[in-house]
Amino acid sequence: MPSAPVPDIAVPIPLSDAVALAQIAESNGNWDRVARLGACMVAAAPDRHQGYHFAGVAAAERNDLPTALEHFQNALRRDIDAAPHLVRISECCRRLGRLDEGLEAGRRAVRLAPGSAEAWFGLAMILLERSDPIEALAAADRGLLVAPDSARLHFLRAESLLTLGRMEEGWREYPWAFQTDQGKKTWQPKDIPRWNGTPFDDGVLVVYADQGLGDTIQFARYVDWAQGLCPNIVAYTYPQAAPIFRQICPTVPLVVDVAKIPAAKAYIQVSLLPSLHGTRLDSIYGTVPYIHATRESAVEWRKRLDAAAPKSFNRIGITWAGNPRHPNDRRRSAALSDLAPLGRLRDVVLVSLQKGPPADQIAGYFGRAPLINLGPDIENLENTMGIMANLDLVVTVDTSVAHLAGAMGLPTWIMIPSPPDWRWLIDRIDSPWYPTARLFRQTVHRQWSDVVDRIATATRERFELAE
């Protein structure tokens, strides 16, 4: 049912009425109206906190974090003991990378409101952002004492446990992901149950590609295991990921239209298969490589690369940015300029695998190493795999290219941000998911210079390059 329209304010009204109107606009996601009401309240009552609060909420939703932070700080000055303002300040600081300030605000919030699950969640988030999963786990546990059914606290707990390598505990918490606000938006049929891992052969099991391409590449190896328990499997996926399923399980029918999913006995998200398998760090299912380039594609791209650069040069594929819509893109993506030390290497040709707007940065590249821009010619995963089959090394940020190269068993050097995504664990330079991967971790939050310097040094050593 559409939301009822909110009338404009024609005459001055009490502050309480303006707050009520702003709350309605906020619940409707009408951020322009929230911003206007907030500005009106600030103008009419500059000594009260409410207007600054709503102005901050609207700015944060528009991703104008510096402005949002200023508004929330103004609200706090006028409402000094209000933990909700501190929670908002901590969140803005987290997203801005101002982690010391965010931690201070988060700790103060839980001191003022130890019975607030919101405050404990905010503190756990900033601790996880600071690459401290042990303390983040402790904060999440405190929050769950207050709100034992909080889906996002349970899922944050799952991420902390998985980051620590405590897989069995982490997988038990992982299904809470689908009860968070974001998780509820994914396909979850009401008329059939989620599969619990019990074998059956008297009905169809729908395996659903619920995550992005990188996650799907990582977890699709388990479809073969699931098929051993439930032979009548149908994979419901998006078109971009279809080649992965075709290679791993060529006998599994693929469906890309929800209306064409057959009657089924159960369904399961691909990301939950490791949980049902009981995966530990020493029991990851399958062998690597489990996907590969077709011979035709590999030959075609070899000819193109041979024509574009000397055959004697070492070919290094590079990807410096992921999908800008990814919630963690601000910390995982770099700029092409960050890879400048690679561009100064001798006897190397860089092969750009970058897609999307970040590829425009190639126009400003002036390195010694030739740079071949293949991004515009990459139309699908088959193209990408064909190119990578002809490379000596892949250097990439934490995006789907990292998973694709790792699943192909190629030498893959991954630039890991701080904090890392849970799958890369803590402090390791290797990955149990991809044995041919090597991890280069940030030592300073949101700074890539040290990472790329180490990669450049390792590249010289690997290929015995002159300075």
Side-chain angles (χ1 to χ4, degrees):
M1 178 180 297
S3 302
V6 181
D8 288 326
I9 302 174
V11 295
I13 62 173
L15 179 63
S16 59
D17 290 351
V19 168
L21 288 171
Q23 289 171 335
I24 294 171
E26 181 180 359
S27 66
N28 291 340
N30 188 341
W31 305 116
D32 287 340
R33 186 167 183 80
V34 173
R36 290 198 305 271
L37 285 163
C40 288
M41 283 185 265
V42 168
D47 59 334
R48 304 291 295 275
H49 65 90
Q50 290 91 339
Y52 298 100
H53 165 80
F54 285 110
V57 169
E61 287 294 333
R62 293 166 168 170
N63 211 33
D64 183 359
L65 298 176
T67 299
L69 179 59
E70 182 179 359
H71 284 311
F72 291 132
Q73 288 170 334
N74 278 325
L76 183 64
R77 292 187 188 100
R78 291 155 177 81
D79 193 22
I80 194 67
D81 291 328
H85 303 319
L86 289 161
V87 172
R88 296 277 190 173
I89 289 169
S90 180
E91 173 64 7
C92 285
C93 289
R94 183 183 72 83
R95 293 169 63 186
L96 287 166
R98 295 163 60 170
L99 302 186
D100 289 343
E101 295 174 64
L103 180 61
E104 181 182 357
R107 291 199 185 284
R108 185 178 166 196
V110 297
R111 286 197 299 270
L112 287 171
S116 167
E118 186 81 12
W120 285 110
F121 176 79
L123 178 59
M125 285 289 287
I126 196 75
L127 288 165
L128 199 58
E129 189 82 9
R130 290 170 60 90
S131 297
D132 193 346
I134 294 176
E135 288 299 316
L137 180 62
D141 286 343
R142 285 291 303 272
L144 287 168
L145 293 176
V146 177
D149 294 326
S150 169
R152 60 181 187 164
L153 277 168
H154 277 287
F155 184 56
L156 193 150
R157 191 171 192 275
E159 291 189 299
S160 300
L161 289 164
L162 292 170
T163 302
L164 292 166
R166 294 163 59 178
M167 294 287 168
E168 293 176 278
E169 297 170 85
W171 292 130
R172 285 197 294 271
E173 296 278 27
Y174 198 87
W176 283 93
F178 301 99
Q179 297 185 42
T180 63
D181 290 343
Q182 186 64 32
K184 288 176 181 178
K185 298 176 183 177
T186 62
W187 180 74
Q188 298 182 66
K190 306 297 184 186
D191 54 339
I192 58 174
R194 180 187 289 157
W195 187 46
N196 63 7
T198 302
F200 64 81
D201 59 8
D202 59 343
V204 171
L205 172 63
V206 178
V207 176
Y208 166 47
D210 59 292
Q211 300 287 325
L213 185 56
D215 297 74
T216 300
I217 294 168
Q218 179 180 358
F219 299 133
R221 67 184 86 184
Y222 284 87
V223 176
D224 179 64
W225 167 78
Q227 191 177 25
L229 300 175
C230 302
N232 300 317
I233 281 184
V234 170
Y236 170 37
T237 182
Y238 44 96
Q240 189 183 13
I244 303 300
F245 289 95
R246 289 194 189 101
Q247 283 206 17
I248 295 173
C249 296
T251 63
V252 171
L254 300 184
V255 175
V256 296
D257 182 349
V258 67
K260 295 183 179 180
I261 295 175
K265 183 172 181 177
Y267 80 98
I268 188 66
Q269 292 91 343
V270 169
S271 65
L272 289 183
L273 290 176
S275 172
L276 295 178
H277 173 263
T279 296
R280 304 183 308 273
L281 293 181
D282 61 355
S283 65
I284 292 172
Y285 182 79
T287 57
V288 177
Y290 54 90
I291 55 177
H292 59 273
T294 65
R295 182 180 182 279
E296 294 76 15
S297 180
V299 169
E300 175 189 348
W301 288 102
R302 184 185 310 128
K303 292 177 181 177
R304 294 186 60 172
L305 288 167
D306 288 347
K311 295 181 183 180
S312 60
F313 278 25
N314 300 286
R315 297 170 178 173
I316 302 177
I318 56 172
T319 307
W320 57 90
N323 184 344
R325 293 187 297 274
H326 191 283
N328 290 326
D329 190 66
R330 68 188 184 280
R331 69 186 185 203
R332 69 169 183 170
S333 286
L336 177 57
S337 59
D338 291 319
L339 302 186
L342 292 178
R344 292 194 286 267
L345 297 175
R346 296 179 182 274
D347 301 323
V348 159
V349 58
L350 302 180
V351 180
S352 172
L353 305 170
Q354 185 65 53
K355 297 287 290 181
D360 294 342
Q361 299 168 29
I362 292 173
Y365 174 79
F366 298 103
R368 169 193 289 163
L371 174 59
I372 302 174
N373 181 15
L374 295 181
D377 299 325
I378 298 175
E379 298 179 351
N380 49 47
L381 283 184
E382 287 93 338
N383 292 161
T384 306
M385 288 189 282
I387 296 167
M388 291 200 300
N390 291 285
L391 301 177
D392 299 298
L393 176 66
V394 175
V395 176
T396 177
V397 293
D398 178 12
T399 187
S400 60
V401 168
H403 292 274
L404 192 62
M408 292 175 68
L410 303 176
T412 308
W413 292 358
I414 308 174
M415 300 163 58
I416 303 296
S418 175
D421 191 83
W422 66 262
R423 74 202 73 231
W424 308 121
L425 307 168
I426 290 288
D427 298 332
R428 293 178 62 150
I429 64 170
D430 65 333
S431 169
W433 295 95
Y434 303 116
T436 60
R438 180 175 174 182
L439 311 182
F440 292 80
R441 298 178 181 272
Q442 277 184 346
T443 56
V444 179
H445 191 69
R446 299 193 184 183
Q447 291 187 20
W448 292 112
S449 56
D450 176 53
V451 172
V452 182
D453 284 343
R454 284 183 278 126
I455 290 175
T457 299
T459 303
R460 290 192 190 94
E461 295 172 351
R462 179 181 180 86
F463 297 118
E464 299 180 350
L465 304 177
E467 291 285 345

